[in-house]
Amino acid sequence: MTRTTVPDRPVSSVPGLAEDAGTDATVMNGGPSVELRRSRGARLLALVCVLGGVLLLVYPSDGALLRTIIAVGAIALGAVALVSAMRPFRFGIHAEGLTIRRPGLRRDIRWAEVDVLVLDEPPRRDGHPEPPRLLVVPVPGVTIEPVTARHPLDGRPAVELLVLDQVREQPEQVSAALTQHAGGRFVDLLALRRAAFDAPALPVGLRGYQMDRVDRLIRRGQDALVSGDASTRQAARGEIERATTAGLPIAQRGYHTLQTDTVLHALVAALADHQTTDRETAT
């Protein structure tokens, strides 16, 4: 009889995770699971606040009252952040579904309860990117709370499962693990947007286009391209053309006008190309 040897600690086949000894991976239903690791950033920032406050108290100088107020505030803020960072955290991706243990959500979610998982990136704020987040839309009849978001394309109520700055893994690694285990339930909207229209980083300077307005237009066009719907693309193209024809608002600090015009014209052209393809296919 042939004896099969099972490794003591199988590793994930997700690129970048298998080589990391800090990643816990166990076999579940014949496939490797992936445990995401909490980021150290919040803990380090909290420690810096506490230590900075302590130093201000230890070394008094002129303006002692103001220094004391600042020091106590820094210590209190750091202590609150440190307590939050030390709370239990677990995010496991495996053959049966997801295991989540974090403040505000402690639950096992089976794949049968998931209609769609979306890796999304919120719109930029003042030109600065927001960390990607993982959203879930449950199947009808399944309740997962709290409902804190909406599906970025169709607007259905969704639950924010994870903000990716909470973990050390890169978005590409998280996407690979979810693709492996969730299959067709998972949508990497970040990758789909880049594939549809990879908008370059726009330079920022004085007297430029209002950044939030430009970012919303680019996101509108990208999502229209991803949607696969001709009427949605036509509406997005019309909105961008009207905005550029009327003139985008100017801010004291904003995106460089020439480069922004070039990007928006290219986006309009991409939307028009898809519409031409739709008409040819219908014919």
Side-chain angles (χ1 to χ4, degrees), residues 41 50 89 99 139 143 158 187 200 210 213 220 271 274:
V50 172
F89 175 89
T99 298
V139 298
T143 301
V187 177
Q210 189 180 83
R213 176 63 171 146
R220 176 88 164 89
L271 291 163
H274 277 268

Side-chain angles (χ1 to χ4, degrees), residues 78-90:
V80 171
L82 190 59
V83 169
S84 177
M86 296 299 293
R87 294 178 70 179
F89 175 89
R90 184 186 178 195

Side-chain angles (χ1 to χ4, degrees), residues 207-281:
R207 302 294 298 170
Y209 287 142
Q210 189 180 83
M211 291 183 283
D212 287 350
R213 176 63 171 146
V214 172
D215 289 330
R216 284 197 299 269
L217 289 174
I218 292 175
R219 174 61 60 86
R220 176 88 164 89
Q222 287 177 317
D223 286 350
L225 289 169
V226 170
S227 72
D229 180 71
S231 61
T232 301
R233 289 194 294 268
Q234 184 176 3
R237 178 188 175 191
E239 181 180 340
I240 297 170
E241 287 179 328
R242 287 191 298 272
T244 54
T245 301
L248 292 169
I250 300 294
Q252 186 66 31
R253 182 174 178 273
Y255 288 137
H256 191 283
T257 55
L258 180 59
Q259 282 91 331
T260 302
D261 287 338
T262 301
V263 170
L264 291 177
H265 290 158
L267 181 53
V268 167
L271 291 163
D273 286 344
H274 277 268
Q275 289 167 17
T276 301
T277 303
D278 292 337
R279 286 194 294 271
E280 290 175 352
T281 303

Side-chain angles (χ1 to χ4, degrees), residues 124-248:
R124 290 171 174 255
R125 291 185 180 179
D126 296 326
H128 300 293
E130 293 287 306
R133 58 182 183 167
L134 183 65
L135 308 176
V136 63
V137 177
V139 298
V142 173
T143 301
I144 302 175
E145 294 182 339
V147 176
T148 54
R150 289 192 173 274
H151 190 293
L153 296 183
D154 60 34
R156 284 182 292 167
V159 177
E160 183 179 278
L161 298 181
L162 180 70
V163 180
L164 266 63
D165 65 354
Q166 297 172 343
V167 297
R168 284 183 259 171
E169 285 72 22
Q170 296 300 307
E172 294 79 10
Q173 294 172 298
V174 177
S175 176
L178 290 169
T179 299
Q180 177 182 352
H181 289 291
R185 298 179 181 88
F186 173 61
V187 177
D188 186 345
L189 200 49
L190 278 69
L192 291 177
R193 287 190 183 117
R194 286 194 300 267
F197 184 81
D198 193 4
L202 293 168
V204 177
L206 297 176
R207 302 294 298 170
Y209 287 142
Q210 189 180 83
M211 291 183 283
D212 287 350
R213 176 63 171 146
V214 172
D215 289 330
R216 284 197 299 269
L217 289 174
I218 292 175
R219 174 61 60 86
R220 176 88 164 89
Q222 287 177 317
D223 286 350
L225 289 169
V226 170
S227 72
D229 180 71
S231 61
T232 301
R233 289 194 294 268
Q234 184 176 3
R237 178 188 175 191
E239 181 180 340
I240 297 170
E241 287 179 328
R242 287 191 298 272
T244 54
T245 301
L248 292 169

Side-chain angles (χ1 to χ4, degrees), residues 20-133:
D20 196 324
T23 299
D24 182 23
T26 55
V27 167
M28 303 188 76
N29 282 356
S33 68
V34 174
E35 293 281 345
L36 303 184
R37 299 160 300 167
R38 172 183 273 168
S39 172
R40 298 189 183 100
R43 213 172 296 179
L44 291 175
L45 181 60
L47 288 173
V48 168
C49 288
V50 172
L51 291 176
V54 170
L55 289 175
L56 286 175
L57 291 176
V58 170
Y59 297 102
S61 66
D62 295 338
L65 178 60
L66 180 60
R67 286 170 60 89
T68 301
I69 293 173
I70 295 175
V72 172
I75 292 172
L77 180 64
V80 171
L82 190 59
V83 169
S84 177
M86 296 299 293
R87 294 178 70 179
F89 175 89
R90 184 186 178 195
F91 199 99
I93 306 169
H94 48 79
E96 285 85 9
L98 301 171
T99 298
I100 304 170
R101 303 288 185 272
R102 65 161 178 79
L105 184 62
R106 298 176 58 84
R107 176 167 178 157
D108 293 330
I109 301 176
R110 295 178 293 108
W111 295 129
E113 299 176 303
V114 174
D115 188 17
V116 62
L117 274 171
V118 184
L119 184 59
D120 182 38
E121 184 179 60
R124 290 171 174 255
R125 291 185 180 179
D126 296 326
H128 300 293
E130 293 287 306
R133 58 182 183 167

